[in-house]
Amino acid sequence: MSPGKSGMYPAVHERPLSGGRRSRAVLVTGAGGEMGHSLISALAARKDTSVVAMDIRELDPHVREHCENAFVGDVCDANLLERLLAMYEVDEVFHLAALLSTRGEFAPETAHQVNVVGTLNLLKLSAEQARSHGRRVKFIFPSSIAAYGIPDLDTKRKAGAVREDQFLEPHTMYGVNKLAGEHLGRYYESHYRKLAKDRTPNPIDFRSIRFPGIISADTLPSGGTSDYGPEMIHAAAQGNPYACFVRRDARIPFMTMPDAVEAILKLAAAPKENLTRCVYNVAGFAPSAGDFERLVMERFPNAKITFEPDLGRQSIVDSWPEDVNDAAARGDWGWSPKHDMQRAFDEYLMPRITARYR
Ligand code: SER
């Protein structure tokens, strides 16, 4: 185990334990990423929740302040995870750590390590937690529209809003990894150690959402292929020119970060008996890159936006559906996004982004 930037991991004996008992906590991996920023403050607002965070880098102080403890390290580091779980009785895991689709194509084997081996480590240790404290561990796994792989543009246009069980032949390592994570979660929930005499049945309560591209007013994504949406808006708000790396007619679904956090919390809180599947689509809005351009130009008339498609990244976007069918999420746990595209700009993005760059 190698130390993080802080130079040291907290050791097991450094934490005062009340009466020798481990304290109960919710674990968030990838806590320093875009979704971690927003999710952690929402989790910390729940009265009964202590958040233990983990990230490959030190957390920003305003994220760290919401956490009971924060570990710097890698989800592939099984020793670190074991130490962490020896200190806390973890009831719920939000496993956000991942290497996204563009970055993953430059280092596919590393993406596999982080995205699949890291997920496997966490599932295994969560199953051990469940066995030791006698309660199922809830495991929340953000998957992605990257799990889909549509063979060509004509098929994409004809397919429209795809269901969870269609076109599951992803073109990127990230998509392959997310699909693998979904299957691993389902396996740990229903079939783990099927033949072992001493098995604990159903140790994990696995719940996953296939997220579309996510747009935050507060942070910028990095290493993803849906990044052109948020990048265009943030560039215009800063007065910077932006060369969009996909065609004007490229279309995939997006949602705002507050809606994404709401979705993840809602699915986590749903009564298990209402859930008819492990993995759910959620839709927000489904704009073309040209629709982004139009709304950005209306609000920032001096913005300089050009379209200079990168054929590789374009081909990834072309393999993702133009929209998703989220009827199961709506029916099973009451999913309903707050923001359509107009409201996303008017009520969320514009007020916060303009204040941010003023
Ligand atoms: N935002 C992700 C990516 O672009 C897709 O879920 O890789």
Side-chain angles (χ1 to χ4, degrees):
M1 176 168 64
S2 58
K5 277 194 192 148
S6 61
M8 251 211 299
Y9 296 127
V12 174
H13 63 265
E14 283 168 4
R15 185 182 160 69
L17 299 177
S18 47
R21 293 171 63 102
R22 298 175 299 164
S23 51
R24 290 172 76 157
V26 170
L27 171 62
V28 181
T29 71
E34 274 212 291
M35 187 174 274
H37 270 80
S38 305
L39 180 67
I40 282 185
S41 45
L43 285 174
R46 296 197 316 206
K47 270 202 236 49
D48 53 346
T49 302
S50 296
V51 177
V52 172
M54 186 171 165
D55 198 275
I56 194 84
R57 280 180 280 276
E58 295 278 359
L59 295 185
D60 289 347
H62 68 276
V63 179
R64 175 68 183 85
E65 74 186 14
H66 293 301
C67 303
E68 153 101 10
N69 205 342
F71 291 76
V72 177
D74 188 337
V75 285
C76 295
D77 184 345
N79 287 333
L80 171 61
L81 290 175
E82 264 174 45
R83 286 157 67 86
L84 187 157
L85 292 172
M87 290 166 65
Y88 294 97
E89 200 170 295
V90 171
D91 287 316
E92 208 171 356
V93 177
F94 291 82
H95 176 37
L96 312 181
L99 221 110
L100 296 185
S101 58
T102 289
R103 195 161 294 153
E105 289 313 298
F106 290 100
E109 293 77 18
T110 308
H112 176 86
Q113 283 298 319
V114 174
N115 297 344
V116 180
V117 178
T119 301
L120 188 72
N121 284 342
L122 277 153
L123 283 165
K124 175 174 178 280
L125 289 168
S126 301
E128 282 165 16
Q129 284 275 302
R131 191 184 174 93
S132 87
H133 56 58
R135 290 185 305 278
R136 298 180 94 181
V137 170
K138 208 180 265 182
F139 197 100
I140 313 295
F141 181 67
S143 185
S144 162
I145 46 162
Y148 295 108
I150 302 184
D152 54 68
L153 262 182
D154 197 37
T155 312
K156 167 167 169 156
R157 289 185 182 129
K158 285 191 186 124
V162 306
R163 290 191 320 269
E164 283 90 347
D165 56 355
Q166 293 180 289
F167 301 109
L168 295 176
E169 292 185 10
H171 295 199
T172 61
M173 185 53 133
Y174 173 69
V176 168
N177 297 160
K178 284 295 181 188
L179 199 53
E182 295 175 8
H183 285 301
L184 286 170
R186 191 178 43 74
Y187 167 75
Y188 272 79
E189 167 157 326
S190 302
H191 306 291
Y192 183 49
R193 299 178 77 238
K194 198 181 265 306
L195 302 182
K197 289 221 166 55
D198 62 343
R199 81 185 280 255
T200 307
N202 314 112
I204 305 287
D205 172 358
F206 180 81
R207 305 175 180 205
S208 178
I209 291 180
R210 285 198 195 130
F211 279 110
I214 299 177
I215 311 171
S216 168
D218 306 322
T219 52
L220 266 163
S222 71
T225 315
S226 57
D227 296 4
Y228 62 89
E231 281 175 0
M232 194 186 290
I233 302 166
H234 281 259
Q238 291 171 86
N240 294 335
Y242 185 67
C244 181
F245 58 80
V246 295
R247 295 183 313 265
R248 247 194 199 95
D249 69 346
R251 188 184 296 278
I252 54 169
F254 281 90
M255 71 177 16
T256 61
M257 184 60 83
D259 273 341
V261 168
E262 175 69 15
I264 217 164
L265 293 176
K266 237 182 153 124
L267 175 61
K272 185 70 173 170
E273 61 274 17
N274 292 0
L275 304 183
T276 56
R277 43 187 317 121
C278 285
V279 179
Y280 288 89
N281 281 338
V282 290
F285 36 89
S288 66
D291 292 333
F292 270 114
E293 178 196 27
R294 188 174 42 78
L295 281 181
V296 167
M297 292 304 299
E298 273 172 29
R299 280 138 182 105
F300 301 100
N302 298 325
K304 294 207 167 24
I305 299 168
T306 52
F307 286 81
E308 298 171 24
D310 170 295
L311 293 184
R313 295 179 96 185
Q314 177 70 63
S315 76
I316 293 175
V317 168
D318 287 344
S319 75
W320 292 348
E322 56 179 34
D323 204 356
V324 290
N325 178 325
D326 62 0
R330 288 175 185 267
D332 289 3
W333 43 277
W335 164 245
S336 169
K338 180 166 167 222
H339 297 130
D340 59 17
M341 192 160 178
Q342 199 72 38
R343 290 186 70 184
F345 269 79
D346 293 343
E347 295 172 21
Y348 169 61
L349 294 167
M350 290 307 292
R352 286 178 78 138
I353 288 192
T354 43
R356 176 177 171 177
Y357 295 120
R358 208 177 357 241

